[in-house]
Amino acid sequence: MPAHVLILGGTTEARRLAADLAARTGVRVTTSLAGRVARPGAVAGEVRIGGFGGAQGLADWLRTQHVDALVDATHPFAEAITANAAHAAAATEVPSVVLRRPGWRPGPGDRWYDVPSLAGAAEVLPGLGRRVFLSTGRLGLAAFAHLTDLRFVVRSVDPPEPPMPPDTELVLARGPFTVADETELLSAHRIEVLVTKDSGGQATAAKLTAARELGLPVVVVRRPPLPQGVAAVPDVAGVLEWLGFSPA
């Protein structure tokens, strides 16, 4: 059984895993947060804030802190962090796994347009609507900054930094949001098209249901692939089994 588990966190699943491990006798759990959110939610166990300085910095930390297992439970679009974690784990021979919740799939009545990137989303938007709910986080707005003829509503926990589209209304809010919440927002702003990343999970899926009920098209940015050879499990139970723990 691992004595020290490092979780690369920032997701709901990461917090659940940390809470489970912190409650177990003899287990040290450390959650690392990138620090991109000013007021992150409470996390059980030890918490560190900020980057490691790339794959080499993470490898050094794994060695000096005597980490026995590494769990990458970052956002599915944290591509650079996941790559660094894979390299660091290989360099140190620390067992590692990715906790990656399944992606979303369209259901009956959905009008989804799959794109490979934020740039791809920006390319298809002008043909789908002029009033856009941009629900892709605050860090990728530059991809849409050239779309001067569209009106955007952007929701994030913290204010985004420029560049961003010139006609942008910012909504500062922290989820989770209900279907009623999302329906009200889409209706109040007369949204014609929704843009979202394929984050997966239920915490942010209410907007998809609201868009379906309102008959709105949804542009879905599909997640990047995992590094070759990296093992992944879909949930906290899968990580606990991989670690050799029985359910709490």
Side-chain angles (χ1 to χ4, degrees), residues 185-212:
L185 183 146
L186 295 173
S187 300
H189 292 277
R190 295 182 287 126
I191 297 299
E192 297 173 356
V193 56
L194 163 67
V195 182
T196 185
K197 290 180 176 178
D198 178 21
S199 301
Q202 294 301 312
T204 58
K207 60 193 172 190
L208 301 175
T209 302
R212 179 190 308 126

Side-chain angles (χ1 to χ4, degrees), residues 1-245:
M1 300 295 181
H4 187 191
V5 179
L6 172 63
I7 302 172
L8 304 181
T11 60
T12 301
E13 291 86 355
R15 289 193 294 274
R16 290 174 182 167
L17 178 62
D20 184 291
L21 294 177
R24 296 175 184 268
T25 303
V27 178
R28 176 188 174 193
V29 56
T30 303
T31 298
S32 176
L33 302 175
R36 292 174 177 169
V37 177
R39 292 168 291 128
V43 180
E46 301 175 31
V47 178
R48 68 175 302 281
I49 305 292
F52 292 92
Q56 184 59 55
L58 176 54
D60 292 342
W61 201 91
L62 294 176
R63 293 188 186 98
T64 59
Q65 297 297 316
H66 305 291
V67 173
D68 300 295
L70 170 62
V71 180
D72 176 1
T74 56
H75 192 276
F77 285 82
E79 191 172 6
I81 298 175
T82 294
N84 287 340
H87 287 304
T92 57
E93 298 184 346
V94 171
S96 67
V97 70
V98 175
L99 198 175
R100 185 60 46 89
R101 54 184 178 250
W104 291 319
R105 291 295 178 264
D110 284 327
R111 297 167 55 201
W112 285 15
Y113 297 82
D114 285 356
V115 294
S117 63
L118 293 175
E123 185 175 346
V124 302
L125 269 181
L128 296 176
R130 296 179 58 84
R131 302 180 68 87
V132 184
F133 178 33
L134 194 55
S135 178
T136 56
R138 64 186 179 91
L139 299 179
L141 301 185
F144 305 90
H146 64 287
L147 297 175
T148 58
D149 293 334
L150 304 184
R151 176 171 177 78
F152 291 86
V153 174
V154 173
R155 182 174 64 200
S156 67
V157 176
D158 297 314
E161 297 180 358
M164 66 181 72
D167 191 355
T168 296
E169 180 176 350
L170 181 62
V171 177
L172 294 179
R174 185 191 295 271
F177 304 101
T178 66
V179 174
D181 294 332
E182 302 293 49
T183 301
E184 181 180 359
L185 183 146
L186 295 173
S187 300
H189 292 277
R190 295 182 287 126
I191 297 299
E192 297 173 356
V193 56
L194 163 67
V195 182
T196 185
K197 290 180 176 178
D198 178 21
S199 301
Q202 294 301 312
T204 58
K207 60 193 172 190
L208 301 175
T209 302
R212 179 190 308 126
E213 293 178 352
L214 293 172
L216 301 182
V218 180
V219 178
V220 181
V221 181
R222 288 303 176 189
R223 56 182 64 174
L226 291 172
Q228 187 173 5
V230 171
V233 295
D235 51 29
V236 171
V239 175
L240 293 174
E241 181 179 358
W242 177 82
L243 290 170
F245 292 119

